[in-house]
Amino acid sequence: MSGERPEAAFGEPDEYARAVLRERVPLEVRADLDQFGMSGAERRSEVIAPFGLLVLVAGVSVWAGTGLMLPVTVAGAIGTLVLAASVIVALHAVHAMRAEGHRWHVIARSWFLAPAMGAGAAAAFLLLPVVRLPVVRLPVVPTLLIVVLGAVILGWAFTRKGTPKALRVPADGDEWLSQLHSLLIGRYRMPGAQVKDIVAEVRSHLDASGGSPLEEFGTADQYAATVAAGKPNKWWRRWF
């Protein structure tokens, strides 16, 4: 033991952690990690797990409320399917799309679509029972089956081994810069003004050199990881 304080030997914890990340984790791996150290597969599991938990809780609630068997109606079947789809869209928009570097207008569409689908599910639950529909014989579903389905989805979310997505190759320099901008803001939560300056510097360099961004910096995912590893984020930007 040297008796030296850790700050004196290694510097600030955040700076040392970023240095270790740059030195010990290959760039190809870092390019898929967000500011929480989660990979794309783990982010997609964050979409699946809450959905599985919702199905599990719904199954237990229905079991407690109606007993072992659940009569299925047309309104209930349609409303449940649309509601489930809206939950998946909302979870995907919150947990995955932003960190994957999707453009804001694409994410905004999902944020608009999810509540619209939720309203459609509510309409199905409320309006279809009062509409005259052809008589359709639907099966009676064991409520325990819903509980088991939720448990299976939840277990799969925690045990699945996802494969990393292939790094995207843009069609041109403008698309590469757009990807870089979206990744720095969405995946790494960097301030917009700082990202704007970084993208402007990269664009200026490319204009001066005449080279392509892939040749100069690698893929947008790789360069975003390199930039983020050297740029500290304030604690409030890590969570919002």
Side-chain angles (χ1 to χ4, degrees), residues 123 152 238:
V152 169
R238 296 173 187 168

Side-chain angles (χ1 to χ4, degrees), residues 119-191:
F125 286 128
L126 296 173
L127 300 180
L128 285 181
V130 301
V131 176
R132 288 190 175 184
L133 296 172
V135 177
V136 179
R137 293 183 177 274
L138 296 177
V140 178
V141 177
T143 52
L144 184 59
L145 184 62
I146 304 174
V147 177
V148 171
L149 176 62
V152 169
I153 295 173
L154 194 59
W156 179 60
F158 286 111
T159 58
R160 65 189 290 270
K161 294 181 179 179
T163 55
K165 295 178 70 174
L167 297 179
R168 295 163 293 179
V169 179
D172 52 36
D174 287 338
E175 184 179 344
W176 188 96
L177 290 169
S178 177
Q179 287 181 4
L180 177 65
H181 183 277
S182 299
L183 286 166
L184 292 176
I185 289 181
R187 182 176 295 176
Y188 300 106
R189 302 296 201 273
M190 292 180 63

Side-chain angles (χ1 to χ4, degrees), residues 36-161:
F36 300 111
M38 296 180 63
S39 67
E42 291 169 331
R43 290 191 294 271
R44 288 186 285 277
S45 290
E46 275 204 334
V47 175
I48 300 169
F51 179 72
L53 181 61
L54 287 174
V55 174
L56 179 62
V57 171
V60 173
S61 300
V62 172
W63 189 2
T66 65
L68 293 177
M69 304 302 290
L70 173 66
V72 180
T73 64
V74 173
I78 295 176
T80 300
L81 290 175
V82 176
L83 181 62
S86 70
V87 170
I88 293 174
V89 170
L91 290 172
H92 186 255
V94 170
H95 290 291
M97 293 187 73
R98 185 175 179 181
E100 293 294 337
H102 289 280
R103 297 179 181 178
W104 277 108
H105 70 273
V106 177
I107 301 174
R109 288 175 189 170
S110 296
W111 285 345
F112 173 79
L113 180 61
M117 294 174 68
F125 286 128
L126 296 173
L127 300 180
L128 285 181
V130 301
V131 176
R132 288 190 175 184
L133 296 172
V135 177
V136 179
R137 293 183 177 274
L138 296 177
V140 178
V141 177
T143 52
L144 184 59
L145 184 62
I146 304 174
V147 177
V148 171
L149 176 62
V152 169
I153 295 173
L154 194 59
W156 179 60
F158 286 111
T159 58
R160 65 189 290 270
K161 294 181 179 179

